[in-house]
Amino acid sequence: VILEHRLADPDGEDRGSEGEVAVFTLYGHLSRASIRDLARGQAFEAGDPIAGVGETSENGGWWPHLHFQLMVDLLDQVGDFPGVAPPDERLAWRSACPDPNRILRLPSAVLGDKPTQATELRARRARVLGPSLSLSYRDPLHIVRGEGAELIDADGRRYLDLVNNVCQVGHCHPRVARAAARQMAVLNTNTRYLHDSILDYAERLLATFPDPLAVCFFVNSGSEANDLALRLARTATGRRDIVCVDAAYHGNLTSLIEISPYKHDGPGGQGPPPWVHVAPLPDVYRGRHRGADAAQRYAASVTDTVGRAAAGGDGVAAFIAESLLGCGGQIELPAGYLDAAYRAVRADGGVAIADEVQVGFARLGSHFWGFESQGVVPDIVTLGKPIGNGHPLGAVVTTRAIADAFANGMEYFNTFGGNPVSCAIGLAVLDVIAEEGLQNHAGLVGDRLLRGLRELRDRHSFVGDVRGRGLFLGIELVAPGSASDPAPDAELASFVVERLKERRFLLSTDGPDHNVIKIKPPLVIGAEDADRFLAALARTLGEIERAG
């Protein structure tokens, strides 16, 4: 229902009847019965009842409520007027629809707090948070909600999240949220008491691993998991030296910065300590070895690195690598790479660590764990990020022999690792992956994306490489005309990410030269979402092509 009101014109300007100005009020979500006898042109006096609020059954499923809106012009809308508008049109509509609380005068406690402006948040952030904590995008987003594969900002804009491999089964999955709330309301304590939840979860988790991986340790993050993996390896072997892969990142603890070339060779880094040995980045597109024999040459290079490390000291404790390389540039390892590395380190008496923090839990589609795609079984596996769908949870899975060697008299205790709430959440994540068929789904949607990305690569010379598996993909952008000797173009990659953010698709860049656009969305992303993204990316790449 829309009412027209005639008010005295404070400026004395005649905009309707002499000395009056017209304004309008809109009333929505009313009961059909209460408006049945209303007629166009019907007059009301102050205090007259107009209509009644509709019940939930005729109210679009909402709780009974009134939509009240103030308009200074009907904009030639006959019999109807928009009650909502896209956030991008907010300022335009505010010129026609002033704040209705000028009339209602509801107290602020009833209305609730308005979203804090991003500029104010940034100023507060600068005052109370460390300056090394970065923000994404030139104009950072103020995100207030998550749902499935989407993030929603303070203005209600929805963004397809193509880079969040933490919320594996989707942002705010109701089953995971319910599991957390139920257990939090009953008990949350440590592992020094008997409780079946940690045992249920360990058994379910271990059922996804091949033999001889049979023992779990629970921690709070992927960083804690990798730190514990180093302790396990060093205790079991009695050695200290570690072999890692160039451009790798394994976590933010001091012990992990030391084995993460992505950090210790980057800005602010101090290089590796003498007990860290770095194998070449196995990048067959733009790395040291290319061409038909690149896989064999990289396998030989990692074997050689392990051999030189072993010969130069007391032997190697462990070789550690992600099963697919994330910060290295979304790189799928060459065939036979992990087999060669694992054989070499075991021949020297060391152990093999698979970092599954980014690619585990069905992301690859073809396999539940990334190391399975290389046909190998590690001695220690580290888990984090997607394991708790955003809840701080991590785990280390290892063999009975290594776990027994670690039991040397020093207790391992983690205050929060393995608590009942975390285990309830971990179980819910496994349930959702299995019951919603997310591994198969990741494979299907990932193949759809890969096909579309390869078509775009064939059309644009600056799309140098498209790679990955399942929903762990990378697009490497290079300078136009550098196909024979690809030159990284970080500026171009950054432009694409920013342009797609404007089109409501969230991505980021990575790789040693920050020219690789990484794609690793929640596994619930749909085929239609993939198609929308590919269409937006095609428009963006077309803009670059036309601009020369």
Side-chain angles (χ1 to χ4, degrees):
V1 171
I2 296 176
L3 296 186
E4 178 181 348
H5 306 263
R6 291 287 175 175
L7 308 176
D9 186 349
D11 299 324
E13 182 181 349
D14 185 3
R15 299 183 187 175
S17 301
E18 186 175 353
E20 293 181 331
V21 61
V23 297
F24 306 87
T25 52
L26 181 150
Y27 307 82
H29 290 269
L30 307 175
S31 72
R32 293 186 180 88
S34 70
I35 65 171
R36 188 174 296 131
D37 296 328
L38 296 182
R40 182 179 177 87
Q42 184 174 344
F44 291 92
E45 297 293 334
D48 287 349
I50 303 168
V53 173
E55 295 294 333
T56 300
S57 59
E58 60 177 349
N59 199 18
W62 295 88
W63 289 102
H65 71 284
L66 174 69
H67 174 112
F68 179 77
Q69 190 169 331
L70 175 62
M71 298 94 78
V72 297
D73 194 313
L74 289 183
L75 304 175
D76 296 326
Q77 299 289 319
V78 178
D80 198 3
F81 196 90
V84 295
D88 289 345
E89 299 176 8
R90 172 186 282 185
L91 291 178
W93 282 105
R94 276 182 171 173
S95 65
C97 302
D99 183 356
N101 209 38
R102 295 179 180 183
I103 294 176
L104 297 179
R105 298 181 182 178
L106 296 174
S108 59
V110 174
L111 293 176
D113 294 329
K114 294 184 178 179
T116 306
Q117 295 299 314
T119 51
E120 181 185 343
L121 287 176
R122 293 179 73 175
R124 290 174 60 197
R125 184 182 174 104
R127 288 194 299 270
V128 300
L129 300 181
S132 56
L133 191 64
S134 65
L135 284 164
S136 298
Y137 311 109
R138 282 195 301 268
D139 294 318
L141 294 170
H142 179 192
I143 297 298
V144 296
R145 286 181 53 215
E147 182 180 350
E150 292 184 320
L151 290 173
I152 305 162
D153 74 7
D155 289 321
R157 300 181 184 91
R158 289 179 172 265
Y159 296 83
L160 184 63
D161 186 356
L162 291 159
V163 76
N164 197 318
N165 63 332
V166 176
C167 291
Q168 189 89 334
V169 299
H171 293 283
C172 306
H173 194 290
R175 181 161 182 171
V176 177
R178 285 196 300 270
R182 277 198 305 267
Q183 186 58 52
M184 182 65 83
V186 176
L187 174 70
N188 195 26
T189 186
N190 62 61
T191 55
R192 287 197 172 117
Y193 304 98
L194 291 173
H195 198 276
D196 52 4
S197 67
I198 190 172
L199 305 178
D200 293 341
Y201 183 43
E203 289 167 353
R204 283 282 304 281
L205 191 59
L206 290 171
T208 67
F209 285 93
D211 291 333
L213 297 167
V215 181
C216 288
F217 293 85
F218 290 110
V219 294
N220 306 307
S221 68
S223 289
E224 276 199 2
N226 279 328
D227 180 77
L228 177 57
L230 296 185
R231 287 184 59 192
L232 288 167
R234 286 168 170 159
T235 304
T237 64
R239 301 170 176 179
R240 181 172 179 78
D241 286 35
I242 303 293
V243 176
C244 62
V245 177
D246 200 9
Y249 173 66
H250 294 291
N252 57 28
L253 301 182
T254 299
S255 63
L256 304 176
I257 297 299
E258 292 173 334
I259 65 166
S260 298
Y262 184 79
K263 290 293 185 182
H264 67 229
D265 285 340
Q270 299 177 349
W275 47 265
V276 171
H277 311 273
V278 181
L281 177 67
D283 178 1
V284 299
Y285 172 65
R286 206 167 54 80
R288 179 184 303 180
H289 305 305
R290 308 177 195 179
D293 63 345
Q296 293 84 353
R297 295 173 73 184
Y298 278 121
S301 72
V302 72
T303 299
D304 181 61
T305 304
V306 174
R308 283 187 286 105
D314 297 327
V316 175
F319 167 81
I320 183 170
E322 295 176 277
S323 301
L324 278 80
L325 307 184
C327 291
Q330 302 293 99
I331 291 175
E332 186 174 5
L333 296 172
Y337 183 83
L338 286 185
D339 183 59
Y342 288 9
R343 286 178 185 274
V345 73
R346 286 167 175 161
D348 182 56
V351 300
I353 303 173
D355 182 337
E356 292 276 336
V357 170
Q358 293 220 54
V359 298
F361 291 94
R363 176 160 294 279
L364 301 189
S366 57
H367 301 85
F368 199 82
W369 303 112
F371 63 79
E372 294 174 308
S373 67
Q374 288 265 312
V376 296
V377 179
D379 303 296
I380 303 173
V381 184
T382 59
L383 313 175
K385 291 189 189 298
I387 187 173
N389 208 55
H391 178 79
L393 173 62
V396 177
V397 178
T398 189
T399 65
R400 172 57 60 188
I402 291 175
D404 287 346
F406 190 61
N408 62 357
M410 180 186 292
E411 180 195 19
Y412 176 76
F413 176 69
N414 189 307
T415 303
F416 299 107
N419 69 77
V421 172
S422 294
C423 291
I425 290 170
L427 278 166
V429 170
L430 291 177
D431 287 340
V432 173
I433 291 173
E435 294 173 18
E436 295 187 10
L438 293 184
Q439 181 174 334
N440 182 62
H441 181 75
L444 293 174
V445 178
D447 287 346
R448 190 184 193 100
L449 281 168
L450 203 55
R451 286 194 302 271
L453 294 173
R454 285 172 174 163
E455 289 174 6
L456 293 174
R457 177 197 60 192
D458 294 341
R459 283 157 44 188
H460 301 285
S461 63
F462 49 83
V463 181
D465 194 30
V466 169
R467 54 182 177 254
R469 184 185 288 238
L471 289 175
F472 192 80
L473 305 173
I475 311 166
E476 182 153 5
L477 300 188
V478 297
S482 65
S484 59
D485 186 18
D489 197 329
E491 185 178 352
L492 186 60
S494 179
F495 171 82
V496 171
V497 167
E498 292 288 347
R499 189 76 177 99
L500 282 164
K501 177 241 185 181
E502 294 171 3
R503 288 178 161 141
R504 313 284 173 79
F505 299 91
L506 301 183
L507 296 155
S508 63
T509 61
D510 226 324
D513 298 298
H514 303 283
N515 67 316
V516 179
I517 297 172
K518 54 187 179 183
I519 301 171
K520 45 179 188 172
L523 301 192
V524 295
I525 184 175
E528 322 79 48
D529 297 325
D531 291 344
R532 286 196 300 116
F533 162 63
L534 289 169
L537 179 60
R539 287 196 299 272
T540 302
L541 299 181
E543 291 171 352
I544 295 170
E545 196 79 63
R546 289 189 295 274

